[in-house]
Every structure is written in C-alpha cells, then in structure tokens.
Amino acid sequence: MPEFNVLVVDDEEDFRDTLVKRLRKRNLDVQGVESGQKALELLDKVRFDVVILDVKMPGIDGVETLQEIKRKKPLIEVIMLTGHGSVEMGIQGMKLGAFEYVMKPADIDGLMEKMRRACKKKFFHEEKIRQTKEP
C-alpha cells in the first residue's frame, strides 16, 4: 500500500519522468502531468495528498495553479519547485499557502522528508475536521 499519493507537475519532461520514477521506487503512488491546467483537471478526478509543482510553466504558471488548487482542495499540501531565477516565486507561493519550496535539482531524500511532513500536516487537519463532525 502506498505511503501517500503525489502529483508531480512540471513541463520539463525528463525531470518530471525521472522524479516520478524515483518516487515510485520509494513506495509512493505518483502521477505526473506537464501543465497546471492538466493538474487541475486531474485533481477533480483523483485524490492526492501532496502536489510537487514547478513555478515556471507555460500557460497557467505555478503560482496561479497553487491558488486554484488551494481554492478547490484547501487541504492538499503543495511543495513548489523553483530554479535559481525563480526563488521569489517560491516565496510568493509560500505566502499563498504552499507548504514549502525546493530548489531544482531537488535532493530526493530532502524532498521525501518535506513530503512526509506535508502529508502529516494534511492528515492532521483531516482528522481534526473528522473529529468536529462526530457527535
């Protein structure tokens, strides 16, 4: 059984495919898409716990995608992927609700630790909501 479900959103195909394969080897259920628009469409159909989101993409960029994810699914935790020229966008993402930002190329062990913490936060909030609904 997978530890948690992850969506990787990055327009760089080689980077995305490599990250998806490396995360699957760590017993995660991972899917990858190449755009913010496709990520939003998939989020309507599939449950994810954590989204790894590139900030610079054609079409809807990472910050806009983050805002829409938080509007539609506020409990999903988002980790922003930034390059050297886009650190400010990563910081902006955190101000808008991202859990963390990570510089590319991402260290897989460091990214795994951030995803575990993000997922733990999500599960904690889901449990609090469940407890408030119980009589």
Side-chain angles (χ1 to χ4, degrees):
M1 180 177 194
E3 199 172 341
F4 47 88
N5 303 320
V6 180
L7 176 61
V8 176
V9 186
D10 197 312
D11 62 315
E12 295 178 40
E13 185 177 358
D14 290 343
F15 179 84
R16 181 184 66 244
D17 290 349
T18 300
L19 184 57
V20 167
K21 286 177 189 169
R22 293 181 77 190
L23 294 175
R24 283 181 179 156
K25 285 183 178 178
R26 286 168 169 76
N27 198 33
L28 299 180
D29 185 0
V30 185
Q31 293 189 45
V33 294
E34 69 273 16
S35 70
Q37 184 62 44
K38 288 198 175 179
L40 295 172
E41 291 168 10
L42 193 57
L43 284 166
D44 286 336
K45 301 172 191 163
V46 180
R47 178 186 177 274
F48 291 99
D49 299 307
V50 178
V51 175
I52 307 298
L53 179 63
D54 189 21
V55 296
K56 284 198 171 184
M57 296 183 290
I60 304 173
D61 71 19
V63 172
E64 291 174 280
T65 304
L66 168 68
Q67 290 176 307
E68 192 61 22
I69 289 171
K70 287 297 184 180
R71 189 185 69 74
K72 292 171 111 178
K73 310 271 184 177
L75 294 182
I76 290 179
E77 294 298 340
V78 178
I79 297 173
M80 309 290 285
L81 283 172
T82 67
H84 287 288
S86 58
V87 172
E88 293 81 16
M89 289 179 77
I91 293 169
Q92 181 185 0
M94 289 188 68
K95 289 178 182 172
L96 294 170
F99 179 78
E100 184 69 82
Y101 73 90
V102 174
M103 295 282 290
K104 281 183 174 178
D107 167 63
I108 195 72
D109 292 329
L111 183 59
M112 281 294 299
E113 179 56 31
K114 289 179 192 317
M115 287 192 302
R116 282 191 184 101
R117 286 190 293 118
C119 202
K120 186 175 179 181
K121 179 181 174 187
K122 179 182 184 274
F123 292 162
F124 174 79
H125 284 129
E126 287 175 343
E127 181 61 25
K128 295 272 285 184
I129 290 169
R130 225 180 342 266
Q131 288 174 356
T132 59
K133 289 182 179 177
E134 290 178 1

